[in-house]
Amino acid sequence: MKLLRYGDSGAEKWGVLDAEGQIRILDDALVHVTGDELSPEWLAHLVKLDPQTLPLLKTKPRIGPAVPRPLNFVGVGLNYADHAAETGGKIPKEPILFLKSLSSFSGPYDDIVIPPGSTKTDWEVELGVVIGTKASHVSEEAALDYVAGYCVVNDVSERSYQKERGGQWDKGKGCDTFGPVGPYLVTKDEVPDPQALALWTEIDGLRRQDGTTANMIFGVKTLVAYVSQFFTLHPGDIIATGTPAGVGMGIKPEPVFLRPGQEVRMGVQGLGEQRAKTVGG
């Protein structure tokens, strides 16, 4: 099932995509659905619904982030060997974690705002893992039991803020609009193997990233279990699992970064695609 959120920022409602790619309204159906949002019980009720029997959304609203604002928006750094190589980084012995500010959380078609004075704003397509059950100190064997589904994440990054402004990644990863999520939350029953998904990015129609989640250094099971050792993951939390090679700072002979007026398109196999314009802040 492909779930989505539509409406003005902060006032989004749940919808579901039908077989024809149309949005169906879930308002009335959710009244009869028990369990907390994104919990296994909640999802089990939803997957029994026939989208064709639900009211059709006849307007064309804004598509918001694929889940409500999370408590934790977790990023994983240097999780593809080819990306580590292009940036000159070493293969990490343990996952590198950082937190994206919740002010970065935005929709898949919302504008990406390049901060005033920024010269090194970059793109990163990533597989997002959405938590469905509260997770603390879970094992790798049980890790996927805590996952509700998957989505596309763009871990937009300002490289000078990230690397040249005091050594903390967060300030380069958490600027407003730097975390587009969606368009869909695809329930995990439709993604039998999260380590076998193609993912890609195009900037103004030019293919820049073309990778596969098979090349992750630390896979989804490992990441969910690992993150849960340090802080509790809550339903709706997102883990952005790292990006493959092809980011702007890795382009030779000279890095290429985003500027206002460009189109950023990216997608993950089976999870839909994002399409955003860049604007000056």
Side-chain angles (χ1 to χ4, degrees):
M1 176 173 277
K2 289 183 173 66
L3 298 171
L4 53 86
R5 305 271 295 171
Y6 65 89
D8 295 338
S9 180
E12 294 93 346
K13 298 180 179 181
W14 284 108
V16 62
L17 204 69
D18 68 17
E20 287 74 44
Q22 303 174 106
I23 299 173
R24 297 283 176 162
I25 299 170
L26 275 173
D27 286 6
D28 291 338
L30 288 175
V31 172
H32 307 289
V33 175
T34 57
D36 296 329
E37 284 190 354
L38 301 178
S39 69
E41 183 182 17
W42 190 81
L43 290 174
H45 282 284
L46 286 187
V47 297
K48 293 177 183 177
L49 297 175
D50 179 1
Q52 303 301 130
T53 66
L54 300 173
L56 184 66
L57 185 66
K58 297 179 181 179
T59 60
K60 291 187 177 180
R62 166 185 174 268
I63 303 300
V67 295
R69 186 180 296 271
L71 186 62
N72 295 299
F73 193 173
V74 185
V76 181
L78 302 179
N79 197 31
Y80 287 71
D82 56 359
H83 174 56
E86 74 176 346
T87 63
K90 295 180 180 179
I91 301 296
K93 294 181 180 179
E94 294 187 42
I96 297 171
L97 303 182
F98 58 90
L99 292 173
K100 289 182 75 73
S101 167
L102 295 186
S103 65
S104 72
F105 187 64
S106 62
Y109 311 125
D110 293 345
D111 291 341
I112 295 171
V113 180
I114 297 175
S118 165
T119 58
K120 296 183 179 180
T121 297
D122 206 346
W123 58 84
E124 293 191 9
V125 64
E126 308 202 1
L127 171 66
V129 179
V130 178
I131 300 300
T133 301
K134 189 175 179 180
S136 178
H137 297 278
V138 305
S139 67
E140 285 194 30
E141 293 73 20
L144 293 187
D145 294 340
Y146 296 82
V147 173
Y150 303 93
C151 61
V152 182
V153 174
N154 184 359
D155 178 22
V156 186
S157 306
E158 213 297 342
R159 302 303 186 187
S160 62
Y161 297 178
Q162 177 187 355
K163 295 175 171 291
E164 302 164 19
R165 298 290 296 275
Q168 286 289 337
W169 284 19
D170 294 20
K171 63 185 71 171
K173 298 283 193 172
C175 300
D176 293 354
T177 75
F178 271 26
V181 172
Y184 313 122
L185 165 62
V186 180
T187 51
K188 66 180 178 182
D189 58 294
E190 293 196 11
V191 185
D193 186 359
Q195 305 305 151
L197 304 175
L199 64 172
W200 55 272
T201 299
E202 291 182 354
I203 308 298
D204 289 338
L206 178 62
R207 184 64 61 105
R208 289 296 193 181
Q209 290 185 279
D210 209 347
T212 170
T213 59
N215 291 336
M216 283 185 190
I217 297 167
F218 305 104
V220 170
K221 291 181 181 179
T222 299
L223 292 175
V224 172
Y226 185 85
V227 174
S228 79
Q229 307 308 308
F230 298 97
F231 48 85
T232 300
L233 291 165
H234 296 265
D237 283 356
I238 300 167
I239 302 175
T241 57
T243 197
V247 299
M249 72 172 172
I251 295 173
K252 303 293 189 294
E254 293 292 333
V256 175
F257 296 108
L258 294 170
R259 60 185 188 277
Q262 293 189 285
E263 182 183 65
V264 180
R265 292 179 63 226
M266 60 176 52
V268 178
Q269 182 181 346
L271 308 185
E273 76 170 49
Q274 298 184 3
R275 185 176 63 257
K277 293 290 186 181
T278 56
V279 300

